[in-house]
Amino acid sequence: MPQRLEATNDFVVKFANVNGSGSASANQLFAKAILRMGVPATPRNIFPSNIQGLPTWYEVRISEKGYLGARGGVDLAVAMNPQTWDRDVKEIEPGGYLFHDSSKPMPDSKFRKDINVVGVPLTEMCNRTYSDPRQRQLFKNIVYVGALSALLEIEPAVVEQLLSEQFKGKDKLIAPNVKAFHMGRDWALENLQCPLGIRVARREAIGDRIFLEGNSAAALGAVYGGASVCAWYPITPSSSLAEAFERHCRRYRTDKETGKGRYAIVQAEDELASIGMVIGAAWNGARAFTATSGPGISLMQEFLGLAYFAEIPAVVFDVQRGGPSTGMPTRNQQSDVLSCAYASHGDTKHVLLFPEDPRECFEFGATAFDLADRLQTPIFVMLELEIGMNERLCAPLAWDPARKLDRGKVMSAADLDAARQFGRYLDVDGDGIPFRTLPGTHPTKGAFFTRGTTKDRMARYSEEGPDYVDNMERLLRKFATAAKLAPAAVARPAQQPTRAGVIYYGSTSPAMDEALDTLHERNVHLDALRVRAFPFGPEVAEFIAAHDSVFLVEQNRDAQMRTLIVNELGIDPARIVPVLNFDGNPITARFIVKAIADRMAGANVTPLRKAVP
Amino acid sequence: MTYLPKPKFRHPSLPANALGFTRRDYEGAVSTLCAGCGHDSISAAIIQACFELSLPPHRIAKLSGIGCSSKTPTYFLGASHGFNSVHGRMPSVLTGANLANRDLVYLGVSGDGDSASIGLGQFAHAIRRGVNMLYIVENNGVYGLTKGQFSATSDRGSKSKKGVVNSDEPIDLIGMALQLGATYVARSFSGDKAQLVPLIKAGLLHGGAAFIDCISPCVAFNNHEGSTRSFDYVRAHNEAVNRLDVIPARGEITTQYAPGESVDVRQHDGSVIRLKKVAADYDTSDRVAALTYLQRRQEAGEIVTGLLYLDEEPVDLHAALKTVEKPLNALSDAELCPGAGEIAKINASLR
């Protein structure tokens, strides 16, 4: 008999499915049921770049402690895809569990001796009960959720409640789904040893947290932030952001009387046209954005330089994936940092925001529009596939009732009448931000010509060196102002004084939280700093100065954030040690702990002997 | 070009339009194009058209790409906002601007390099979306600003100033515009102001995607023997199918033609286009026939000009998207932001 993994509310389940088989909603039902039992669960879609018939996985990490990062390893594999059977079986931890469809006998060589096999004749049961082939397929997914509920002690009432919510409005679908669920559950209770060594037990560990996708949250942020024009071109993993914006707008921006929309969404012919439309709309005073990914950023370079130089607000949601080129379209990376920070030819710098989870996607999604209007420049919200396309438990969304949209320095007709003069590129306030006018404002005042060529303070074409230098230096002053307005980095000090620090950003957050706890348990202490924006506030340089060695954990090959910090803050590169995960899989606490512990032992920064009692 | 500053002096008896503006109020900076450039004639025609229509200059937005033609918006409508964007991408910028404020008049100015080469895709897509605009291509068949390379509208067999013969088929922007659903299509010649000014007027009043291909000889690089875009060649081969008068809504109709010679077409805004037929059998409401006619005449070596196609009831992009009547850039916080009250409901739905 193999050993049995024993764990309550701390294990990983991985579903191996066939794309297009209807498994997604059943798997989501599984994850939500655990959340409803008050236990944190974090699902991840792992999907190759295909639509139908090919493998797809859904991994759920259950963690009572609330660790939401990927863990690595699998404790229970739900192997529903014969194509990937061998690798799915191989991934299971020794003593773990293999759940499979036992309708057809499998040779012993297809199993491992050190794992526990749980067979349920899913196909047989469904063929017996249903005659319609599509029903057989769809209900099979619900039947395995039923069997799993018995094996893992998931409360059936919770699942029934979720099913009734899911099919609200299509009420006649509720009963057959509940029936299929119980068919699987009853079979397992009668025929299998329930529960397994791993199981779920009700807790109160969720609180008021919510569960949503970053792309949808960012799109909602755009609605709250007042965006009224969206131009986009379909590209994984950002398409669902534009689609979510449309969904949210239909709900919140439809005029009740006329049925007309207070928004315009155009699916453009390519990414160049997308950003062109955004720039045109923003030039004309509407809040506008595009959603894209790395290849789109490459295509938008020329226009981004125009927006920087002509000083036009624009918001770009870059949902990052694996590059370069087409790269890994359905995998995670943080590899557009430099191509966004310095997008376009000539001397340019752009404002980047790095959300850690869907909640920050919402917050930054709204704030980006205020920053764009205030700073009159493109703002990049740097999502990642990991937080964009996965549902994640996070703090509830918040909106200050007193909050007003900050439209920035836009002169009205009355302002123009009252003003002594208007010069489009005059730095009146010393913050590097000039005043602008919108087309159609005043019959005789405030018109100017927007151009990508060099101009003087009054927006007149000029090829004079001093005019050019004057303008470029003002743009630097404006960038310094941006550093004051962008979200500051967040510190997480160690529980005791230390000379070692670690910097991280974006989707690395949950893995880092867990890694810091684990390192702390091993008596390795690090102060941590989560960077939330570029340009950096003074706290980033101060943090580096306050530590003898600083790790920078990121998810790309070339340590792009490290390059940006070294370059922009004038830091000695030797002071920042890169920790890099770039295989396309989300970074894990195990990886961070090992990388940091190994290096600290080697550098003898903190004596590790204390770690082993 | 001239280095003299433009005098501010205005003759007191300059005629004023219904808004009290004189023609001078529609002018821009002094042109920096070559003396005799066809583009300057088009700028003058735009000024004349806007003046005659009594359009408030500040309610017009003029956008362009990059090239000689795209420089011209500096030289007309100085009281209008202008946007000199990037090469070949004016259509997307104009589309975005139009989405933000449907109440302005949008004038896109481009050239044959800007629209038929680098910007062919954006030209096509802006037309097929039905963006409410007047899109003028100042077509000289040559790259002027980079000194005389062939453009994608140069005729096969046409000879460059250096004596090179073009071996590529030309791109027919008129044919494309017709196929892609432009609802107002015209061709004109910068040397025929009497034809061009009313075409621009009607195009500005049109409520959908209006396109004018305006042949505009390049005096520096494409006005020689062997060119099919020279003043002499275009004058010799210009075949107008009609002449028109444009009477704005509530305007007084003064021109009269003998019965059967003219036809009145009323546009959606109430303006009337009075077409005087030159080619008796030419029907501006038949898109398919127009395509055939144009290709036949082109085969015969003619350059057909005039109003070539008109859909009196165009459906523009805003109508297709069902956007509200109020310009999107004028929506208030309350009209845009669902507010704090909705947040609790949203949170509740995500648990």
Side-chain angles (χ1 to χ4, degrees):
Chain A
M1 278 289 283
Q3 64 164 117
R4 271 163 51 105
L5 274 180
E6 297 283 340
T8 301
N9 294 343
D10 184 16
F11 56 94
V12 173
V13 183
K14 189 170 182 180
F15 297 84
N17 296 104
V18 178
N19 220 339
S21 67
S23 58
S25 66
N27 296 345
Q28 197 192 30
L29 178 70
F30 173 85
K32 280 199 117 173
I34 295 169
L35 286 167
R36 287 286 177 93
M37 288 176 66
V39 179
T42 308
R44 280 181 179 78
N45 292 295
I46 304 156
F47 57 103
S49 188
N50 294 300
I51 296 301
Q52 202 241 317
L54 284 140
T56 175
W57 292 269
Y58 187 80
E59 185 184 290
V60 185
R61 180 177 185 189
I62 294 111
S63 165
E64 187 174 330
K65 283 186 177 169
Y67 293 136
L68 308 180
R71 189 199 70 180
V74 176
D75 302 321
L76 165 60
V78 181
M80 302 303 295
N81 186 355
Q83 284 172 283
T84 58
W85 175 275
D86 290 340
R87 59 186 281 193
D88 294 332
V89 171
K90 201 174 156 196
E91 271 187 338
I92 303 169
E93 300 274 324
Y97 303 86
L98 169 67
F99 179 101
H100 75 113
D101 181 354
S102 61
S103 302
K104 280 187 189 156
M106 302 267 284
D108 282 351
S109 61
K110 285 289 187 185
F111 297 92
R112 270 168 53 186
K113 294 234 174 335
D114 62 339
I115 56 170
N116 304 285
V117 177
V118 182
V120 179
L122 296 167
T123 305
E124 203 183 294
M125 286 160 74
C126 288
N127 286 356
R128 206 165 48 225
T129 316
Y130 307 104
S131 54
D132 176 57
R134 186 64 186 158
Q135 277 193 343
R136 284 176 176 173
Q137 174 58 51
L138 291 177
F139 283 124
K140 184 153 79 177
N141 302 317
I142 302 294
V143 174
Y144 75 59
V145 174
L148 289 171
S149 79
L151 291 162
L152 299 174
E153 294 197 324
I154 294 170
E155 295 167 13
V158 167
V159 176
E160 286 170 20
Q161 173 65 25
L162 283 167
L163 284 170
S164 69
E165 289 172 23
Q166 184 185 342
F167 294 109
K168 199 176 171 193
K170 303 175 197 164
D171 289 11
K172 64 172 192 249
L173 292 174
I174 298 173
N177 275 282
V178 170
K179 192 182 147 205
F181 170 76
H182 278 288
M183 180 162 74
R185 180 175 172 83
D186 294 345
W187 193 93
L189 288 170
E190 279 164 31
N191 297 284
L192 300 171
Q193 185 195 341
C194 297
L196 303 175
I198 53 173
R199 67 197 70 169
V200 185
R202 183 172 273 279
R203 295 286 185 271
E204 297 289 338
I206 302 290
D208 66 348
R209 281 186 284 181
I210 57 168
F211 187 64
L212 84 164
E213 281 180 357
N215 281 356
S216 177
L220 192 63
V223 173
Y224 269 76
S228 57
V229 174
C230 164
W232 66 293
Y233 186 73
I235 181 170
T236 304
S238 74
S239 305
S240 61
L241 199 161
E243 286 162 353
F245 182 69
E246 180 152 27
R247 211 167 52 241
H248 298 320
C249 281
R250 270 205 302 273
R251 175 152 190 186
Y252 298 113
R253 294 273 190 78
T254 302
D255 186 84
K256 288 208 172 59
E257 281 168 31
T258 62
K260 290 185 173 177
R262 296 189 295 274
Y263 64 97
I265 301 171
V266 174
Q267 184 187 318
E269 59 269 33
D270 54 31
E271 284 90 344
L272 287 80
S274 304
I275 189 68
M277 289 179 200
V278 168
I279 288 170
W283 171 75
N284 214 358
R287 293 194 153 186
F289 74 93
T290 186
T292 190
S293 190
I297 296 293
S298 294
L299 287 165
M300 293 176 188
Q301 295 280 313
E302 187 185 21
F303 256 133
L304 290 167
L306 173 75
Y308 173 80
F309 201 45
E311 299 181 61
I312 297 161
V315 173
V316 178
F317 290 97
D318 176 13
V319 189
Q320 297 171 85
R321 65 189 213 184
S325 188
T326 309
M328 294 198 288
T330 59
R331 305 291 169 151
N332 197 67
Q333 265 186 3
Q334 301 175 319
S335 53
D336 297 344
V337 175
L338 290 174
S339 67
C340 290
Y342 298 128
S344 207
H345 55 276
D347 294 326
T348 58
K349 290 176 203 263
H350 302 287
V351 178
L352 317 181
L353 309 178
F354 302 99
E356 65 166 344
D357 66 2
R359 189 204 136 91
E360 263 187 1
C361 290
F362 170 76
E363 192 181 319
F364 292 175
T367 301
F369 292 93
D370 282 352
L371 287 173
D373 269 358
R374 173 57 50 186
L375 293 163
Q376 299 173 24
T377 198
I379 308 289
F380 293 78
V381 187
M382 307 293 286
L383 280 80
E384 298 161 48
L385 183 146
E386 168 72 1
I387 47 176
M389 287 189 72
N390 289 312
E391 290 176 298
R392 177 69 58 80
L393 202 58
C394 56
L397 308 179
W399 191 260
D400 180 354
R403 183 167 171 172
K404 293 261 178 294
L405 305 181
D406 175 10
R407 309 271 183 166
K409 298 185 185 180
V410 181
M411 294 183 85
S412 65
D415 293 338
L416 285 164
D417 280 328
R420 254 185 307 124
Q421 66 167 345
F422 166 72
R424 171 66 181 98
Y425 299 107
L426 274 174
D427 185 4
V428 180
D429 302 324
D431 56 3
I433 306 170
F435 282 82
R436 65 176 183 138
T437 55
L438 303 180
T441 300
H442 193 288
T444 55
K445 292 175 179 173
F448 68 97
F449 207 78
T450 303
R451 46 167 56 95
T453 40
T454 309
K455 59 264 166 183
D456 65 12
R457 293 176 178 186
M458 304 307 287
R460 289 176 301 227
Y461 180 83
S462 168
E463 293 181 15
E464 298 301 319
D467 284 336
Y468 176 80
V469 170
D470 177 60
N471 190 44
M472 291 299 277
E473 287 181 341
R474 183 181 53 75
L475 286 168
L476 277 185
R477 283 202 299 283
K478 187 168 90 165
F479 206 61
T481 302
K484 293 178 193 155
L485 300 178
V490 177
R492 179 189 154 143
Q495 291 176 35
Q496 50 181 278
T498 173
R499 299 295 297 167
V502 58
I503 295 174
Y504 62 103
Y505 59 97
S507 75
T508 303
S509 268
M512 181 58 70
D513 289 341
E514 184 181 353
L516 290 169
D517 285 356
T518 309
L519 287 164
H520 173 77
E521 284 160 16
R522 297 191 196 173
N523 212 17
V524 177
H525 305 288
L526 294 115
D527 292 327
L529 186 77
R530 180 165 69 89
V531 167
R532 298 200 299 164
F534 173 70
F536 309 113
E539 68 282 2
V540 178
E542 286 162 11
F543 180 87
I544 295 166
H547 294 89
D548 295 334
S549 71
V550 175
F551 295 98
L552 209 168
V553 180
E554 53 186 319
Q555 302 185 54
N556 58 67
R557 185 193 68 178
D558 292 346
Q560 296 190 21
M561 181 64 81
R562 178 173 173 271
T563 301
L564 199 59
I565 287 178
V566 164
N567 191 40
E568 293 291 327
L569 301 179
I571 306 283
D572 175 2
R575 307 245 306 112
I576 306 181
V577 181
V579 174
L580 305 168
N581 171 81
F582 60 93
D583 66 358
N585 295 311
I587 196 166
T588 63
R590 287 178 185 179
F591 172 86
I592 298 171
V593 167
K594 183 169 189 318
I596 290 182
D598 284 357
R599 285 183 177 85
M600 286 184 78
N604 208 16
V605 176
T606 305
L608 273 178
R609 54 192 147 76
K610 280 186 191 167
V612 188
Chain B
M1 68 174 281
T2 174
Y3 294 95
L4 296 172
K6 207 166 189 168
K8 291 223 164 67
F9 172 76
R10 292 173 187 204
H11 196 280
S13 64
L14 270 180
N17 63 16
L19 295 175
F21 289 123
T22 69
R23 196 180 170 287
R24 296 290 305 273
D25 293 315
Y26 292 86
E27 291 178 354
V30 173
S31 170
T32 60
L33 299 175
C34 310
C37 178
H39 295 357
D40 284 334
S41 307
I42 301 174
S43 295
I46 291 169
I47 291 165
Q48 188 69 25
C50 292
F51 166 73
E52 288 179 11
L53 287 175
S54 295
L55 293 176
H58 75 294
R59 302 300 291 175
I60 305 169
K62 47 181 185 173
L63 297 99
S64 63
I66 295 292
C68 289
S69 56
S70 291
K71 287 170 74 140
T72 64
T74 316
Y75 317 136
F76 58 78
L77 298 174
S80 307
H81 272 69
F83 196 156
N84 197 187
S85 64
V86 291
H87 198 19
R89 318 293 177 206
M90 173 276 285
S92 66
V93 179
L94 189 152
T95 302
N98 183 297
L99 290 174
N101 185 357
R102 61 190 301 171
D103 285 355
L104 302 184
V105 172
Y106 292 91
L107 174 60
V109 176
S110 180
D112 39 312
D114 202 53
S115 278
S117 290
I118 187 169
L120 188 63
Q122 293 217 340
F123 162 76
H125 288 279
I127 295 283
R128 61 181 272 274
R129 287 193 185 99
V131 179
N132 185 356
M133 62 179 172
L134 172 59
Y135 191 128
I136 301 178
V137 168
E138 306 188 349
N139 187 351
N140 57 16
V142 76
Y143 282 82
L145 213 49
T146 52
K147 300 189 190 299
Q149 300 82 4
F150 282 120
S151 87
T153 61
S154 306
D155 287 320
R156 184 190 283 256
S158 173
K159 200 187 273 184
S160 80
K161 200 174 178 184
K162 287 179 183 159
V164 182
V165 175
N166 180 32
S167 58
D168 297 346
E169 272 296 316
I171 284 173
D172 173 16
L173 293 172
I174 286 282
M176 284 188 70
L178 282 166
Q179 285 191 339
L180 292 166
T183 43
Y184 178 99
V185 180
R187 186 187 278 135
S188 191
F189 171 43
S190 64
D192 186 352
K193 203 169 169 183
Q195 181 192 47
L196 180 57
V197 171
L199 282 174
I200 292 173
K201 285 163 72 175
L204 287 168
L205 295 175
H206 183 71
F211 174 65
I212 300 177
D213 177 29
C214 191
I215 310 291
S216 173
C218 173
V219 289
F221 297 107
N222 208 8
N223 198 28
H224 48 269
E225 183 78 28
S227 158
T228 57
R229 292 285 183 277
S230 66
F231 276 108
D232 288 347
Y233 185 93
V234 179
R235 282 208 183 92
H237 296 80
N238 185 351
E239 292 294 330
V241 289
N242 47 35
R243 294 267 159 190
L244 59 158
D245 290 305
V246 179
I247 306 103
R250 298 181 303 279
E252 192 189 344
I253 301 179
T254 52
T255 44
Q256 296 296 333
Y257 296 105
E261 266 193 349
S262 77
V263 58
D264 283 358
V265 186
R266 189 172 292 274
Q267 294 216 83
H268 194 73
D269 69 318
S271 63
V272 173
I273 299 172
R274 174 153 294 182
L275 278 171
K276 186 187 181 208
K277 292 188 169 190
V278 178
D281 55 344
Y282 194 83
D283 178 1
T284 56
S285 68
D286 188 336
R287 185 157 74 133
V288 178
L291 274 164
T292 312
Y293 183 91
L294 288 165
Q295 297 206 340
R296 288 257 182 273
R297 302 324 299 164
Q298 193 185 336
E299 239 175 26
E302 289 175 8
I303 300 169
V304 176
T305 59
L307 176 60
L308 305 175
Y309 175 69
L310 174 66
D311 178 345
E312 298 145 55
E313 296 290 334
V315 176
D316 90 323
L317 180 58
H318 278 281
L321 294 176
K322 299 186 175 64
T323 51
V324 288
E325 294 302 318
K326 190 174 180 182
L328 297 179
N329 72 352
L331 295 173
S332 66
D333 283 22
E335 288 168 306
L336 291 167
C337 181
E342 282 295 329
I343 284 284
K345 287 187 215 163
I346 293 168
N347 283 328
S349 73
L350 297 169
R351 288 186 177 121

